[in-house]
Amino acid sequence: FAEADRPVPYAPGKVYEYLPLGKPILGPVPPGDLRDLLTGLPHAYACDYRDAAAIARTVARMCGDIDAGRVRFDPAAIAPFSRVAQAAELARILDGARAGAGR
């Protein structure tokens, strides 16, 4: 991972394949795009990978939520990350760039 206080602008592609499965996700990760992504999902549990106590608390919270049936999967929360949604967003950006170039 990157330097301790520098956000990592990266999220592995496998994460986007795993998101729609609806399974709880434990993410002991550095600050950055991946943590931001996981923090915004109701079925994901993100924490700082350098903090053993935080990892232990997060694992305990995740296990407690699983045991109590509180893990909530929200398909709408991951919809923007589908290939279809990403292709539509790219098309919108390219259309805007093309329209701007014609001025």
Side-chain angles (χ1 to χ4, degrees):
F1 290 121
E3 298 171 22
D5 295 323
R6 192 166 153 203
V8 177
Y10 173 74
K14 284 289 180 190
V15 170
Y16 296 98
E17 294 175 16
Y18 193 76
L19 292 179
L21 299 179
K23 303 287 185 190
I25 299 171
L26 175 64
V29 296
D33 291 347
L34 180 54
R35 188 182 310 171
D36 293 346
L37 170 66
L38 295 177
T39 300
L41 299 172
H43 66 292
Y45 298 80
C47 59
D48 192 322
Y49 75 104
R50 299 167 294 179
D51 185 343
I55 294 169
R57 286 190 305 272
T58 304
V59 168
R61 183 169 49 97
M62 184 179 82
C63 290
D65 286 352
I66 291 168
D67 289 346
R70 289 188 300 257
V71 176
R72 188 173 58 83
F73 175 67
D74 180 6
I78 63 160
F81 305 111
S82 74
R83 286 189 170 102
V84 171
Q86 291 292 301
E89 178 66 9
L90 178 59
R92 186 190 65 73
I93 291 168
L94 293 175
D95 286 345
R98 185 182 68 204
R103 292 183 193 170

